Amino acid sequence: MVSRIMHTSVDSRNAHDQSVWWGRVLGFSEDPQDPNLPGHEECMIFSPDGRTRVLFIEVPEGKTVKNRLHFDLYPQDVTRDEEVERLLGMGATMHQDLRKDDGGGWATLLDPEGNEFCVLRSVSERPDPYAHLVRD
């Protein structure tokens, strides 16, 4: 027997704003039958195929330490560096730039509420076609 992940939950100060921001980052959308509205304490976004879900839940306390869980993203249609620039333009902040001169490495960014996430190389930038299954 096994369990499956139903969705990933993210504590937030503003669930609606976080769902909108991350929806733009990931290309996810809300359920049109249950739209996310300002003031909602829980806002879910779904991948285009509906299989991956992220739920933003408003909590009273702010973020105080490093995340114990975070997203590792890899761009689909652009390079890692182009994606980093897009995300910075959307309001992300550079936390640690761990990109290497040889093209390896990643960038750790902060979302608008200070949650860490990483941007890895795109599949087309990796020498091994299965390298997208592991971090570089």
Side-chain angles (χ1 to χ4, degrees), residues 21 25 84 86-94 109-112 117:
W21 194 84
V25 169
V84 166
R86 179 179 84 94
L87 298 172
L88 291 171
M90 289 175 51
T93 305
M94 181 66 72
L109 305 179
L110 303 176
D111 76 8
F117 66 98

Side-chain angles (χ1 to χ4, degrees), residues 1-2 11 18 23 29-30 42 49 81 88 90 96-97 100 109 121 129:
M1 297 198 142
V2 298
D11 289 350
Q18 283 289 86
S29 59
E30 63 189 10
E42 295 185 358
D49 65 8
D81 295 344
L88 291 171
M90 289 175 51
Q96 285 187 297
D97 192 340
K100 300 176 185 174
L109 305 179
R121 291 187 293 174

Side-chain angles (χ1 to χ4, degrees), residues 21-37:
W21 194 84
W22 277 101
R24 288 179 53 213
V25 169
L26 300 171
F28 284 23
S29 59
E30 63 189 10
D31 179 351
Q33 303 300 316
D34 185 18
N36 299 328
L37 298 172

Side-chain angles (χ1 to χ4, degrees), residues 28-133:
F28 284 23
S29 59
E30 63 189 10
D31 179 351
Q33 303 300 316
D34 185 18
N36 299 328
L37 298 172
H40 280 181
E41 293 179 1
E42 295 185 358
C43 295
M44 178 97 64
I45 57 174
F46 301 82
S47 63
D49 65 8
R51 295 177 66 184
T52 304
R53 304 169 185 178
V54 182
L55 176 64
F56 297 92
I57 303 171
E58 286 191 10
V59 297
E61 60 276 354
K63 181 180 178 301
T64 57
V65 296
K66 183 182 183 315
N67 298 8
R68 295 295 303 254
L69 176 74
H70 69 267
F71 297 122
D72 280 348
L73 310 178
Y74 65 98
Q76 299 298 293
D77 303 319
V78 297
T79 67
R80 175 201 56 212
D81 295 344
E82 290 169 329
E83 183 67 352
V84 166
E85 290 306 313
R86 179 179 84 94
L87 298 172
L88 291 171
M90 289 175 51
T93 305
M94 181 66 72
H95 180 64
Q96 285 187 297
D97 192 340
L98 301 170
R99 294 176 282 183
K100 300 176 185 174
D101 291 337
D102 68 0
W106 60 89
T108 302
L109 305 179
L110 303 176
D111 76 8
E113 289 196 0
N115 299 303
E116 298 93 355
F117 66 98
C118 296
V119 181
L120 313 176
R121 291 187 293 174
S122 65
V123 172
S124 64
E125 294 177 285
R126 295 168 181 259
D128 176 350
Y130 297 103
H132 70 283
L133 301 175

